[in-house]
Amino acid sequence: MMQTTETPNGTLVLTLAENRIDAATALHFKDNFREATSNASGRVIMDLSTVTFMDSSGLGAMVAALKSLKGQKLELCGLTAAVDKVFKLTRMDNVFLLYASVDEALANDGSKGASAA
Amino acid sequence: MNNLAQSPLVYGAPRLHYEDTINADPLSIRDAVVEIMGRLRQEFPAQSEGFIGTEIVLAEVLNNIAEHGYENSNLGDILISVLCTDDMISIESRDHGIPMPGLAPPETELEDTTVEIDDLPEGGFGWFFIRSLSSHMEYRRAPTQNIFCVQIPTNQEPAL
């Protein structure tokens, strides 16, 4: 469900092959994320542009994913309207670093303040 | 199988009535949500934006039943009924799971998300979403059934 590419400077870019992160996939998502990022030492960027729906379980899985990075930020890109809504309703848009696209995230040095998201 | 009946286009009358019985497991719930939302978007293309809230509420209501009413057993039926008028969607669920504690929907507030990352909540968002996105909800316990109704305005999103 998760494809990983690594840029030459060690940034991990995760792409989801899943368009719903919900109660049916949340557990699988968490496991996949931990596996994909177990050796990550640089930035972790996740492309969410394919995700058209996220429910409370999915949001909980995103928070669990963030926690598993042990202090490293989780940068999320390409939030669709439905995903954006759950982040804004819960004010999680201030917790993650958000970008319009992976290109925009890569053009940034990863130090963007969370409040500017 | 799905029993889909479309009423004649009368102002204020239901334009879409969907009723189905599904098994209370996450994959069946997902399939039902996708099916219902597909029907709604097809019937009301102009309101697609307003349906984001409907999809979240629908998923949360059904997953709550699977997780709490049927205690994640993946066993048990949910009867879902969706009525859609020009500006309102009503969802009714009936199940034979355990009653809601206190015979009422939980009064959950949004937990603080301006805390340290390790202290962030990983759950408890479900009822917050249902309450935030709906204009009215009602729960009652019949002798052996939970009956839950929720209404979501679709022309304008409720104020937060």
Side-chain angles (χ1 to χ4, degrees), chain A residues 20 22 25 56 60 67 85, chain B residues 30 55 60 120 122 157:
Chain A
R20 299 175 78 84
D22 58 10
T25 47
S56 63
K67 287 181 182 177
K85 190 165 189 83
Chain B
R30 169 193 275 200
E55 185 162 8
E60 299 300 345
L120 284 170
E122 288 180 45
E157 299 280 298

Side-chain angles (χ1 to χ4, degrees), chain A:
Chain A
M1 106 188 262
M2 225 173 268
Q3 287 183 331
T4 319
T5 52
E6 197 171 343
T7 66
N9 59 359
T11 295
L12 213 54
V13 180
L14 306 174
T15 309
L16 296 181
E18 186 76 54
N19 53 26
R20 299 175 78 84
I21 306 181
D22 58 10
T25 47
L27 214 63
H28 192 47
F29 172 88
K30 282 192 262 189
D31 289 345
N32 273 245
F33 181 87
R34 282 201 192 97
E35 205 174 302
T37 59
S38 57
N39 294 316
S41 52
R43 295 168 66 190
V44 178
I45 297 178
M46 191 186 296
D47 185 2
L48 289 179
S49 59
T50 55
V51 179
T52 54
F53 180 73
M54 186 182 285
D55 66 6
S56 63
S57 304
L59 183 66
M62 296 299 301
V63 174
L66 171 66
K67 287 181 182 177
S68 74
L69 292 180
K70 308 265 180 239
Q72 168 81 354
K73 289 188 172 127
L74 178 53
E75 304 178 48
L76 305 177
C77 309
L79 273 64
T80 58
V83 175
D84 188 60
K85 190 165 189 83
V86 303
F87 275 79
K88 286 222 169 78
L89 273 174
T90 53
R91 302 191 193 100
M92 288 289 180
D93 51 338
N94 295 317
V95 173
F96 295 83
L97 293 182
L98 305 181
Y99 296 95
S101 65
V102 172
D103 285 347
E104 192 194 299
L106 290 174
N108 191 288
D109 64 4
S111 63
K112 178 166 112 164
S115 59

